[in-house]
Amino acid sequence: MAHLFDSSIIDPIALSLGELFAQSGYELSLVGGPVRDLFLAQKATDLDFTTNATPDQILEIVDDWADTTWEIGKEYGTIGLRKGDETVEITTYRAEIYRHDSRKPVVSFGDSLEDDLFRRDFTINSMALRLPSLELVDPYGGFRDLRAGVIRTPGRAEDSFLDDPLRMMRAARFAARFDIDVAPEVFDAMTKMAQRIDMISAERVRDELIKLITAAAPRRGIDLLVDSGLANYVLPEIPALKLEIDEHHRHKDVYQHSLTVLEQAAAQETDEQGAVPSPDFILRFAALMHDIGKPATRKFEKNGSVSFLHHDVVGAKLVKKRMRALRFDNDTTKAVARLVELHMRFYGYGDAGWSDSAVRRYVRDAGAYLERLHRLTRADVTTRNKRKAQRISRAYDDLERRITALAEQEELDAIRPDLDGEQIMQILGISPGPVVGRAYKFLLNVRLDEGVLSEEDARERLLSWAKEEGILEQ
């Protein structure tokens, strides 16, 4: 039969499983994302199958064929298995409905592939390939909508989002992934039902947000979250950036600026061998969130200008608060917040220049995030004034050259005082306590300002400091 896709990219394991189930008298179909991706000429990596066999029957069918099976999702109809290096999931036809007041689905099994497809989120994910015949089952027009570049639901959008409100986030995520539109009725349902996202766990919302931010067209997805009102519940700091433009238009639209910075930051990501492999969630999320401190710090000055004093520091605190609410891990939260806190540090370099100690501090404060900070700082330039943009770019080029030159002299991102804590206590004849920390900080600043000292010089500076501080007698 003729196929609308290149059948040679179908994983052989799918055909083997299809034969196995057919021999046992059961149906098996490749379903959802893997089928959609076949029409996009993309090899499906995560294989999902659906069948009219019950979980116990699935286990019986694959018992001698699979290398390993597991039953963690058995109560929801899903059996996992491994064959060679591949892992797949097989799920019994089902209807999954959310209680209106619950975050957990109520699952019932079905006996019809078409009914199973109807319960899925969007038509582009509601296609199946019967195995091993490769017959396409597309009762809700998924292929049509994929070609048209539109996201629709198999049934009424309101019913779909009532069953699982997270699907509203998934709509935005798929819009960002494929750079396509949602159908008007889908957008209307998202807008009417946005508040229902509150019944979804923070972890599930977080995971969808990560996928959206790291998609091919994140700006489209963020716009959809904001325009539908979903962002008011999952990321309220972003719609808050739509500050009213003052009557003289003396400051830029912070919301649009932030989306542009997001796009420009993503454009500076590298390949797998580079310093910031694409897609990098930390860089992109920092770019999106870098100015969220502006609404709280906006001040209209007497001369008619607008200032946002310390918006970087305020923004870093807000980032931590939001990411903790979304249950992000500590390392990711720390990284994004640090980039937001440091994103203004560079400005002024081009006018006044920095001493070597200031460059050392810049590198030391950025630490492991330096390469991302380079890209965030460059991405933050969205001015239409080409001469200004070129001046800023040249200044940052100069800063990077100086960082490279200094790095050849010493490991800037691992700067330590010339004496450690044990040496400090021995020289000063003191026990562990706050004084050791103060002395350590003093020597660290000396190192940052003056570079490497000999052990004897460091000893003399420490003793001199201790006398001035009254720690040692004059």
Side-chain angles (χ1 to χ4, degrees), residues 243-362:
L243 303 172
E244 292 183 16
I245 302 299
D246 60 285
E247 59 181 308
H248 301 293
H249 297 274
R250 290 180 177 172
H251 73 273
K252 68 185 73 174
D253 182 328
V254 185
Y255 172 72
Q256 293 298 332
H257 163 74
S258 297
L259 294 183
T260 299
V261 175
L262 168 60
E263 290 182 318
Q264 294 185 168
Q268 294 187 52
E269 293 167 344
T270 66
D271 60 20
E272 285 297 324
Q273 285 69 48
V276 184
S278 178
D280 188 88
F281 173 77
I282 290 173
L283 172 61
R284 293 186 183 198
F285 200 51
L288 177 65
M289 304 287 278
H290 77 285
D291 273 347
I292 64 170
K294 282 190 171 181
T297 58
R298 182 174 62 162
K299 181 180 179 182
F300 293 95
E301 305 293 350
K302 292 181 179 179
N303 63 3
S305 65
V306 181
S307 66
F308 303 96
L309 191 63
H310 302 310
H311 77 272
D312 45 354
V313 177
V314 172
K317 293 179 180 178
L318 292 174
V319 161
K320 288 180 181 178
K321 182 178 179 181
R322 177 53 48 198
M323 293 185 73
R324 285 168 182 160
L326 289 171
R327 303 293 191 269
F328 276 91
D329 64 273
N330 290 335
D331 288 344
T332 303
T333 300
K334 178 182 177 182
V336 176
R338 191 62 167 155
L339 289 171
V340 171
E341 182 181 4
L342 294 175
H343 83 273
M344 293 294 294
R345 181 74 67 88
F346 162 75
Y347 292 95
Y349 176 87
D351 298 326
W354 284 356
S355 63
D356 284 352
S357 64
V359 175
R360 290 189 184 99
R361 281 192 173 86
Y362 187 76

Side-chain angles (χ1 to χ4, degrees), residues 218-249:
R219 184 177 195 139
R220 184 186 286 272
I222 294 297
D223 269 336
L224 186 52
L225 291 182
V226 171
D227 293 344
S228 67
L230 273 167
N232 293 330
Y233 300 97
V234 301
L235 208 60
E237 295 81 6
I238 298 305
L241 293 176
K242 288 193 169 185
L243 303 172
E244 292 183 16
I245 302 299
D246 60 285
E247 59 181 308
H248 301 293
H249 297 274

Side-chain angles (χ1 to χ4, degrees), residues 1-16:
M1 61 177 291
H3 299 295
L4 299 172
F5 54 87
D6 181 1
S7 59
S8 67
I9 64 176
I10 295 179
D11 196 308
I13 197 174
L15 299 176
S16 297

Side-chain angles (χ1 to χ4, degrees), residues 130-148:
R130 292 192 185 274
L131 299 170
S133 67
L134 299 184
E135 174 194 350
L136 175 65
V137 181
D138 182 20
Y140 308 110
F143 179 66
R144 173 203 64 207
D145 291 339
L146 191 62
R147 285 197 304 180

